[in-house]
Amino acid sequence: KTLPPAVRCIASLGAGPALTSLAQRGSGAVTLRPLEEIQKQVLIDEFLNRRSQPPLESKARQKLIRGARTNNPQLLASCMHELNSIGVLDGTATAEPILFYMEADNLTMVMEKCLYRWESTYNGKIVGGSLVRDAMTCLWASRFGLKRRELQEILHLGVAQLSPLMCDCAPFFLEHGGTYSIASEALRRAVESRYVPTPDAQAEAHRFVGDYFETGSTPARQAQEVPWQRAESFDLEELIRVIARAEVFMQLTSNDSIRGDLWSYLSLLQLHDMHRNLATHCKASCAALELQDPPLEAEYIADVFTRCVFA
């Protein structure tokens, strides 16, 4: 997409695919210098003030300020969020956990320590599974994130089982319109390393999330998620079947936010010589549409046929 002339977009990114993509589009970049001690003091004070917390005891404060690893502002902020959740900042826990997080060599290792802490706190909340592993894997596998209701339905959980974890992890999520997604590339890498380290495990996660959206969501959400999940798991026959379904096909050709997806899927199918199978599925889908009871309006059926022909 092209931004209007008077609009300037500023994004805060670490090294990763997003930064690479922006660089390929010609976007400029400014590398932030490591934090100085005075800057760390200001950040810590502002964090405590926003949460009405008492001043951090001197020894713990010095560990955070003088540690070389907290020169990274994201790492310092992540540590502060975790220490607040544990109870270090309000005095209900000792400052010892600071050393646990300060041992991390980089932000991804901090996120791995966060996952370990969340597991020890929340994994007893569901029977026969790991709440943290399952929730984080689903969020990792989703394309545009998940609503709480969707995550509850995928994992067959109640509000009381999921809410404490979501509240604890909130600083590490992006929330937009009730949809939650993983905020940082570091947390995505930590989830991938810990829970889906192999291509087979990643494909299985995408199939699991795709199966939910295919049977338990609106046509708009199906069109956003299901074909993408089938492509990510490289289930090309399933991808053909999904994009040939009339309700999904109509969304892919009429929804501006995902209009380009159809051509990406067709290119993938053509690359693997699977595109010829699409005609058979389209014919079957159109035939099923004509036989639907109660019958659909003739204009709608004609619209689907026209889009199929010109796609």
Side-chain angles (χ1 to χ4, degrees):
K1 300 293 182 180
T2 302
L3 292 173
V7 175
R8 177 174 293 179
C9 179
I10 300 176
S12 175
L13 300 168
L19 185 60
T20 302
S21 177
L22 288 173
Q24 291 171 346
R25 300 180 191 184
S27 299
V30 176
T31 302
L32 297 181
R33 296 178 62 82
L35 292 176
E36 297 178 358
E37 289 191 2
I38 186 64
Q39 293 173 312
K40 296 182 194 179
Q41 293 179 35
V42 172
L43 288 175
I44 291 171
D45 289 339
E46 289 184 354
F47 186 96
L48 296 172
N49 290 336
R50 285 201 306 270
R51 287 158 178 77
S52 300
Q53 299 283 18
L56 192 60
E57 61 102 359
S58 177
K59 187 174 181 181
R61 183 187 183 90
Q62 290 306 311
K63 289 178 182 177
L64 290 171
I65 291 174
R66 293 179 179 175
R69 291 177 174 87
T70 55
N71 291 348
N72 181 323
Q74 279 189 303
L75 194 150
L76 177 59
S78 298
C79 287
M80 294 298 291
H81 283 301
E82 274 295 278
L83 296 174
N84 182 55
S85 296
I86 295 169
V88 173
L89 301 187
D90 62 12
T92 58
T94 68
E96 186 176 348
I98 291 178
L99 297 176
F100 176 69
Y101 293 101
M102 295 290 285
E103 290 171 350
D105 290 329
N106 51 56
L107 191 56
T108 300
M109 291 184 66
V110 172
M111 293 296 99
E112 290 175 355
K113 288 176 178 290
C114 290
L115 290 172
Y116 177 82
R117 204 271 297 175
W118 297 336
E119 287 173 357
S120 65
T121 303
Y122 297 106
N123 271 1
K125 303 296 183 181
I126 59 175
V127 177
S130 164
L131 174 58
V132 177
R133 179 199 64 203
D134 296 348
M136 290 295 173
T137 299
C138 288
L139 287 166
W140 173 89
S142 66
R143 183 185 186 186
F144 292 117
L146 297 170
K147 298 182 183 297
R148 285 201 187 198
R149 174 188 55 79
E150 292 171 339
L151 193 52
Q152 287 170 211
E153 291 175 354
I154 293 174
L155 301 179
H156 306 289
L157 298 175
V159 175
Q161 293 173 298
L162 183 62
S163 288
L165 173 64
M166 296 297 288
C167 291
D168 203 354
C169 301
F172 304 97
F173 292 156
L174 291 176
E175 190 272 329
H176 178 70
T179 299
Y180 293 83
S181 58
I182 293 175
S184 72
E185 189 65 26
L187 182 53
R188 288 192 63 83
R189 287 195 296 264
V191 170
E192 185 174 311
S193 173
R194 192 169 183 85
Y195 303 131
V196 283
T198 66
D200 287 345
Q202 293 167 15
E204 186 59 34
H206 287 298
R207 290 189 193 101
F208 182 71
V209 173
D211 288 347
Y212 162 75
F213 278 108
E214 186 156 5
T215 59
S217 60
T218 63
R221 283 293 271 154
Q222 287 181 2
Q224 286 178 332
E225 289 282 348
V226 180
W228 186 83
Q229 298 292 349
R230 301 314 184 201
E232 288 296 300
S233 60
F234 207 67
D235 294 330
L236 299 187
E237 196 64 41
E238 282 293 296
L239 173 61
I240 293 171
R241 181 186 62 78
V242 169
I243 64 176
R245 283 171 45 199
E247 61 272 25
V248 174
F249 185 81
M250 290 293 285
Q251 288 287 332
L252 288 171
T253 54
S254 61
N255 188 329
D256 288 340
S257 65
I258 55 174
R259 190 190 299 273
D261 290 355
L262 179 60
W263 309 114
S264 298
Y265 301 141
L266 293 176
S267 297
L268 176 64
L269 294 172
Q270 187 173 18
L271 181 63
H272 296 278
D273 202 27
M274 297 281 288
H275 58 291
R276 295 181 179 84
N277 299 353
L278 188 60
T280 302
H281 286 272
C282 284
K283 290 178 181 177
S285 181
C286 290
L289 199 64
E290 289 185 299
L291 297 174
Q292 187 167 322
D293 188 24
L296 297 171
E297 294 182 2
E299 290 83 356
Y300 179 81
I301 297 176
D303 192 15
V304 174
F305 286 175
T306 302
R307 291 172 187 266
C308 283
V309 169
F310 287 101

